[in-house]
Amino acid sequence: MEYTLDWLMQNDGFACECGKRHYGLLKDCIIGEGALNRLPEMVQKYGGKHPFVLCDRETFAAAGEKACTLLKEAGIACTLHIISRTKPAPDERIVGEAVMFCGAECDMVIAVGGGVINDTGKILAAARGCTDIYVATAPSMDGYASASSSMEREGLKVSLNSNCPDVVIGDADVLAAAPVHMIRSGIGDMAAKYVSLAEWQIAALLVGDYYCPAVAKIVKESLAVCVENGAAAVAGDKEAVCRLAEGLVMSGLAMNYAGISRPASGMEHYISHILDMRALEFGTPADLHGIQCGVATLMTAEAYEQLAKITPDRKKALAYVKNFDPESWFACLRELLGHGAEAMIAGEYKEGKYDKEKHAARLEKIIGNWDMILQIAAELPSSEDLRAFFVSIGHPTTAEEIGLTPEDTRRAFLAAKDIRDKYVLGRLLWDLGVLEETAALL
């Protein structure tokens, strides 16, 4: 069947062939012309008496000021807080600031902005146990309707369980007026799904991760919507921008259905996270999340093409792991990431990814399923086609275009496998003993 946004939002969920009953959690989604005008209606529908409106300087100008005016005209008192920092980071500081300014009288959160504001609003609403309305100011990422928040905690990029917004509002005029770089970011974040879906299948095959074909199909359909409307959205077409926003919402709902982020993020997201962590620690360049994901998706697609050229060599892989020195690698992580590396290292001591016996067992599975792995990888678009698409919409394709060097992204590629206990391409290449040689070719 073809999934639609309205069908996916049914609050009683749907029974799936995977054995689970999937719930989308999002209750209302209003995307289109004049959508922002319905904000007071949604506040009243969900019983808000005194909402807390959270935005930053730019998103206040884009939609926050009008949101407050609409509430006032409807007789709804609100508390407004504008994050004063330029480009606020998604970390403990912004969450603490939101908590401190959200008064006891506030019974609803209205987050007006992009990914950072949305993620902060979701955490705040979850902590307060109140309704959360998200007013999007740009179609820049796929976390609109997800029930998790991407944050930096103690220097480590983490995905925190939070709230799925009860309502998402995307006004056509606001979304189309967003900086074109942010629209490209949304497309880059969605293009990453080519990789994440392939890696989800491979992880199910090799390490027994839960996999749902229905959820994968939803992500594929939302990806197709975004790619089909990408060029027109970048050109400022309101209808295309709204379709892009709907595709981003569908991707977030798919994550909710699965209960994990696997359908929407993999190796490419972790490369972006490494770049973000370095920027937080050392002030190195960083671009929008979706832009970094797009560049990393192209890099990862190239790595999968290199993967297809090799034949697993049991002797080589076992020797590689035998000679691997975890402490030496941890020193590299500390040099690369500073104090953010400590949480990654602590995770490895807990997870045992480098355990030699576990590796030997995984290696046998890899060798026994090699043809299937290559079949899954073959479903990825070619790096040549992906690059051509990015160029056609003005999306960056190289490290230099986002202020980095090839060495920066190569090191991020090497470290990405350690962000989470999730089986991604970096771990597959490590298991095969070819991680460094593959990275050198990118």
Side-chain angles (χ1 to χ4, degrees):
M1 66 174 292
E2 181 177 350
Y3 297 101
T4 65
L5 184 54
D6 287 342
W7 190 87
L8 294 174
M9 285 172 55
Q10 54 186 322
N11 288 328
D12 60 346
F14 68 94
C16 182
E17 62 190 77
C18 74
K20 288 189 176 185
R21 188 170 189 86
H22 297 302
Y23 296 91
L25 306 178
L26 181 64
K27 297 173 183 174
D28 273 297
C29 182
I30 307 167
I31 297 175
E33 294 279 357
L36 185 54
N37 294 329
R38 296 186 61 186
L39 175 62
E41 173 193 340
M42 291 296 104
V43 171
Q44 292 166 344
K45 177 177 179 178
Y46 292 98
K49 304 297 182 184
H50 192 116
F52 175 68
V53 180
L54 179 69
C55 51
D56 61 31
R57 293 175 184 175
E58 293 180 351
T59 63
F60 175 73
E65 185 174 16
K66 182 177 179 180
C68 291
T69 298
L70 290 167
L71 294 174
K72 182 178 179 181
E73 290 174 348
I76 301 170
C78 70
T79 295
L80 168 68
H81 180 63
I82 303 173
I83 303 293
S84 60
R85 284 173 289 150
T86 302
K87 296 182 179 180
D91 57 16
E92 298 96 334
R93 183 178 171 187
I94 190 172
V95 173
E97 184 174 339
V99 169
M100 291 177 69
F101 283 92
C102 184
E105 72 280 4
C106 297
D107 59 359
M108 176 181 285
V109 174
I110 301 176
V112 183
V116 175
I117 296 296
N118 182 26
D119 283 339
T120 304
K122 289 190 284 188
I123 291 173
L124 178 60
R128 295 289 292 262
C130 66
T131 299
D132 178 22
I133 296 178
Y134 173 54
V135 177
T137 54
S140 57
M141 51 85 202
D142 72 338
Y144 282 168
S146 73
S148 62
S149 295
S150 182
M151 305 295 287
E152 288 161 351
R153 184 178 63 189
E154 295 184 329
L156 176 65
K157 198 80 174 186
V158 297
S159 184
L160 300 176
N161 291 330
S162 54
N163 262 20
C164 171
D166 296 278
V167 182
V168 169
I169 295 175
D171 191 285
D173 290 328
V174 175
L175 296 176
V180 69
H181 196 59
M182 299 189 78
I183 297 174
R184 292 185 181 115
S185 175
I187 299 168
D189 199 4
M190 286 305 299
K193 282 39 173 177
Y194 288 122
V195 171
S196 64
L197 289 172
E199 292 188 335
W200 193 19
Q201 286 184 276
I202 291 171
L205 187 67
L206 298 181
V207 297
D209 275 13
Y210 160 75
Y211 178 79
C212 175
V215 171
K217 186 173 187 292
I218 292 167
V219 177
K220 287 177 183 177
E221 290 182 2
S222 63
L223 169 58
V225 167
C226 292
V227 170
E228 289 166 7
N229 289 277
V234 166
D237 182 272
K238 291 182 183 180
E239 180 67 19
V241 170
C242 288
R243 298 294 77 74
L244 171 60
E246 288 176 357
L248 293 166
V249 170
M250 289 173 65
S251 177
L253 289 175
M255 285 187 272
N256 296 345
Y257 293 146
I260 51 176
S261 62
R262 284 236 65 139
S265 72
M267 180 75 170
E268 74 301 318
H269 270 60
Y270 292 169
I271 294 171
S272 177
H273 290 344
I274 294 292
L275 298 177
D276 287 341
M277 290 169 65
R278 279 185 53 76
L280 180 68
E281 182 77 5
F282 302 118
T284 54
D287 211 311
L288 296 174
H289 167 72
I291 296 294
Q292 292 181 166
C293 283
V295 172
T297 296
L298 180 55
M299 186 180 193
T300 307
E302 292 172 344
Y304 271 104
E305 290 170 350
Q306 294 300 324
L307 180 77
K309 297 176 183 178
I310 72 171
T311 299
D313 184 328
R314 182 182 287 103
K315 184 177 179 181
K316 177 180 180 178
L318 291 173
Y320 173 89
V321 170
K322 180 180 179 180
N323 295 323
F324 179 78
D325 180 3
E327 293 304 323
S328 177
W329 172 241
F330 294 158
C332 291
L333 287 178
R334 291 186 175 102
E335 189 273 331
L336 179 66
L337 299 170
H339 85 282
E342 299 306 324
M344 292 169 63
I345 293 168
E348 170 48 34
Y349 284 125
K350 178 182 178 181
E351 296 151 6
K353 291 192 293 288
Y354 300 134
D355 180 272
K356 292 179 174 58
E357 290 185 6
K358 291 180 180 178
H359 164 258
R362 287 197 306 271
L363 181 60
E364 293 309 311
K365 275 204 165 185
I366 292 168
I367 294 172
N369 290 281
W370 188 244
D371 288 344
M372 181 60 71
I373 292 170
L374 293 184
Q375 182 178 325
I376 293 169
E379 295 177 6
L380 289 164
S382 71
S383 59
E384 182 180 352
D385 288 345
L386 194 56
R387 183 179 290 104
F389 170 66
F390 281 159
V391 168
S392 74
I393 62 171
H395 189 294
T397 60
T398 66
E400 291 88 347
E401 289 176 80
I402 57 175
L404 300 169
T405 67
E407 180 64 10
D408 291 327
T409 52
R410 186 191 70 82
R411 294 174 76 193
F413 183 90
L414 291 172
K417 70 184 187 307
D418 294 297
I419 284 272
R420 305 267 195 283
D421 185 20
K422 184 188 287 188
Y423 202 84
V424 294
L425 176 62
R427 289 186 61 183
L428 175 58
L429 294 172
W430 186 88
D431 281 346
L432 290 165
V434 296
L435 177 59
E436 288 78 10
E437 63 187 72
T438 301
L441 297 172
L442 304 179

